[in-house]
Structure formats: structure tokens, C-alpha cells
């Protein structure tokens, strides 16, 4: 079962981002595998067998000068999961680069809390390293557009203030002021609202 799961993980990281959440949930049970995990793995394999037509696609139709990075971040409040999706985009370009689904180590009491934890993961692990890389690859400094679908979270990230989140730095190991500096102090990083239907990180 473990060999099958790891093979699925390899394919999910390469070309089937929709499988990341399910594989990640099963991987946390490797040391305590039981018959329920066998049934979950069987259901996952059945889903893969019935969805061969789902493929990862990208297209590039712009010169390098018009390209930018777009970073999507989303959180499943009930499942305490951070979803991240990074793509190279332009007026006629959308090329997927990276996606991940990571279990949150803290318990959130509201959707904005979970969203901020996900935003912190997205910026630290994907957004900022990608800026360093693509500044070297492209002929001009690249910009990063951070896409968030929760308006309350956007307001907190812009201002760094929320009276109901005074406990946040201690309980979640996330400094809201740290994330705010990127949207206020760095010209190459911008915070934008996207509709939930267009939230690519909602895996």
C-alpha cells in the first residue's frame, strides 16, 4: 500500500494537483495504517482510474516582458489545510509551476485565521523563493500577484490589525505584521482579490 501511495504522490506533484490533498491525508496515517486506510486508498485509485481525461495544461503566448508570477492561497477551515498554487501568467499566458497541500499545525477559530496561516505558508515557501529565481530567468524584475478570495483576510493582511486576533502570534507562530510588510513595503508584491470560483489553490 505504501508503494502505491508514494507512486501516486509522485504523479500528483508532477501533473495531478487535484490529488495532493487526498494523498497528503493518507500519508499522515502511514505509521498507523488500518483497514479504513485501505478503503480510502482503494477509493483514491478508483478516482484516478475514472479521471484519465484530467490533465495539467498550460499555454504561453506573451513575450517575457509581460509575464508575472501569480500566487494563489486558500485554506480549508474545517480540514485545517493550506492550499498553494503558483503559476506564470500574462495576458495570454497561464503556466502552472507548483502546487502543494499542507496540513496546518494549529487549530484556527475562524476562516480568516486559517487563511492567514495559509498565506504565510504560500509567501514563505513558494512566493518569495520564486521571485528570486524568476528575477534571474526573466530579462526584467518580475512581479508577484498574491490572490486571496476572503475579503476579511485581505483587510487584515493590508493593515496588520484585527482586535479579535490578539492571540494569533502566540498560538499560530505567524506574525501578521511580517506578512503586511510584503504588501506595503515591496513594490514587486501586490495583494489582489479573486472570486472563489477562480481560486486555483482550493484543492
Amino acid at each position: 500500500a505504501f508503494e502505491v501511495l508514494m507512486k501516486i504522490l509522485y504523479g500528483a506533484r508532477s501533473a495531478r494537483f487535484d490529488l495532493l490533498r487526498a494523498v497528503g491525508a493518507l500519508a499522515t496515517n502511514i505509521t498507523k495504517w488500518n483497514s479504513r486506510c485501505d478503503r480510502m486508498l482503494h477509493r483514491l485509485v478508483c478516482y484516478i482510474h475514472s479521471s484519465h481525461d484530467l490533465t495539467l495544461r498550460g499555454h504561453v503566448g506573451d513575450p517575457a516582458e509581460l509575464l508575472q508570477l501569480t500566487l494563489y492561497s486558500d485554506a480549508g477551515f474545517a480540514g485545517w489545510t493550506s492550499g498553494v498554487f503558483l503559476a506564470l501568467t500574462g495576458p495570454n499566458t497561464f503556466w502552472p509551476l507548483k502546487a502543494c497541500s499542507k496540513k496546518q499545525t494549529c487549530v484556527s477559530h475562524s476562516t480568516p485565521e486559517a487563511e492567514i496561516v495559509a498565506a504565510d505558508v504560500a509567501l514563505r515557501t513558494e512566493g518569495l523563493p520564486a521571485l528570486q529565481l524568476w528575477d534571474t530567468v526573466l530579462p526584467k524584475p518580475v512581479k508577484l500577484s498574491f490572490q486571496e478570495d476572503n475579503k476579511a483576510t485581505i483587510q487584515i493582511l493590508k493593515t496588520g490589525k484585527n482586535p479579535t486576533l490578539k492571540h494569533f502570534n502566540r498560538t499560530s507562530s505567524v506574525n501578521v505584521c511580517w506578512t503586511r510588510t510584503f504588501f506595503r513595503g515591496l513594490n514587486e508584491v501586490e495583494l489582489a482579490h479573486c472570486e472563489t470560483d477562480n481560486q486555483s489553490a482550493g484543492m
Side-chain angles (χ1 to χ4, degrees):
F2 303 151
E3 293 181 0
V4 174
L5 186 62
M6 292 302 103
K7 287 179 180 178
I8 296 174
L9 176 60
Y10 178 81
R13 295 179 65 181
S14 302
R16 285 293 300 270
F17 296 160
D18 59 310
L19 304 177
L20 287 172
R21 174 68 183 92
V23 174
L26 275 172
T28 60
N29 294 317
I30 284 182
T31 58
K32 46 188 177 183
W33 199 268
N34 53 33
S35 58
R36 180 173 177 269
C37 297
D38 285 329
R39 293 193 298 271
M40 294 170 66
L41 179 59
H42 179 262
R43 183 176 181 182
L44 177 59
V45 172
C46 290
Y47 168 70
I48 296 171
H49 181 71
S50 64
S51 58
H52 285 268
D53 57 324
L54 296 181
T55 57
L56 186 64
R57 298 180 181 179
H59 56 275
V60 178
D62 300 300
E65 293 77 13
L66 297 180
L67 299 180
Q68 70 170 11
L69 292 170
T70 302
L71 180 64
Y72 297 87
S73 169
D74 196 28
F77 173 49
W80 303 314
T81 305
S82 299
V84 181
F85 182 85
L86 178 67
L88 189 67
T89 61
N92 302 291
T93 299
F94 190 88
W95 191 265
L97 296 174
K98 182 73 181 292
C100 71
S101 176
K102 183 178 180 181
K103 185 177 181 181
Q104 295 185 1
T105 57
C106 57
V107 178
S108 299
H109 293 85
S110 65
T111 299
E113 282 190 45
E115 294 280 357
I116 293 172
V117 173
D120 178 78
V121 170
L123 283 170
R124 284 189 299 105
T125 64
E126 303 299 337
L128 298 181
L131 273 178
Q132 293 285 90
L133 172 64
W134 286 94
D135 274 345
T136 305
V137 174
L138 296 180
K140 67 176 183 64
V142 66
K143 288 193 174 184
L144 175 68
S145 176
F146 186 86
Q147 302 288 322
E148 173 61 52
D149 63 351
N150 187 280
K151 292 183 178 180
T153 302
I154 291 176
Q155 186 64 25
I156 295 171
L157 291 176
K158 283 182 176 179
T159 63
K161 299 177 181 179
N162 191 319
T164 62
L165 295 182
K166 292 180 179 179
H167 62 282
F168 201 61
N169 293 356
R170 182 182 296 274
T171 60
S172 302
S173 299
V174 174
N175 193 321
V176 178
C177 293
W178 181 85
T179 57
R180 181 196 61 178
T181 58
F182 292 104
F183 304 118
R184 280 192 171 185
L186 296 180
N187 294 327
E188 62 266 34
V189 180
E190 65 175 5
L191 179 60
H193 176 261
C194 71
E195 298 297 331
T196 302
D197 292 341
N198 299 325
Q199 178 55 273
S200 298
M203 294 175 287

